[in-house]
Amino acid sequence: MKIMVVCGNGLGSSFIMEMNVKKALTEMGKMAEVDHTDLASAKTVQADIFLGAADIVCQLDDGTRTIVTLENMMSIPEIKSKLEMLVG
């Protein structure tokens, strides 16, 4: 499984979210490939789940992608609760 963390520029905030997603997955005992990118690049990237702030990641919703929106990118509990049903 591949999770792509997306932010506007693909720099600071997506890297922080990537680290938090990896921590959440570890706490859940789950494995996935996690990477981060900017919004423009994300439109051409293949991933099972696209995750990010609602105002950014919703722009990727074309009806075929699995989109996970975060209210608080620093919240490990929120990340875990939103990924629990999606990550085998």
Side-chain angles (χ1 to χ4, degrees), residues 19-32:
M19 295 293 106
N20 288 339
V21 168
K22 288 178 177 178
K23 183 173 182 179
L25 290 169
T26 299
E27 289 179 10
M28 295 165 60
K30 304 293 184 180
M31 297 286 294

Side-chain angles (χ1 to χ4, degrees), residues 29-43:
K30 304 293 184 180
M31 297 286 294
E33 178 186 344
V34 184
D35 203 355
H36 67 278
T37 191
D38 64 280
L39 179 60
S41 298
K43 294 179 180 183

Side-chain angles (χ1 to χ4, degrees), residues 4-86:
M4 186 60 63
V5 180
V6 182
C7 77
N9 294 320
L11 299 171
S13 58
S14 62
F15 182 69
I16 292 167
M17 281 188 285
E18 177 186 343
M19 295 293 106
N20 288 339
V21 168
K22 288 178 177 178
K23 183 173 182 179
L25 290 169
T26 299
E27 289 179 10
M28 295 165 60
K30 304 293 184 180
M31 297 286 294
E33 178 186 344
V34 184
D35 203 355
H36 67 278
T37 191
D38 64 280
L39 179 60
S41 298
K43 294 179 180 183
T44 63
V45 171
Q46 293 293 319
D48 298 297
I49 299 170
F50 291 85
L51 181 143
D55 60 330
I56 299 291
V57 78
C58 68
Q59 296 178 51
L60 295 172
D61 193 355
D62 64 359
T64 64
R65 294 184 175 107
T66 300
I67 304 293
V68 174
T69 60
L70 296 177
E71 299 299 318
N72 179 354
M73 68 181 183
M74 300 301 290
S75 173
I76 303 295
E78 179 187 0
I79 294 168
K80 286 168 59 174
S81 70
K82 292 191 173 177
L83 289 179
E84 277 177 342
M85 291 185 278
L86 298 173

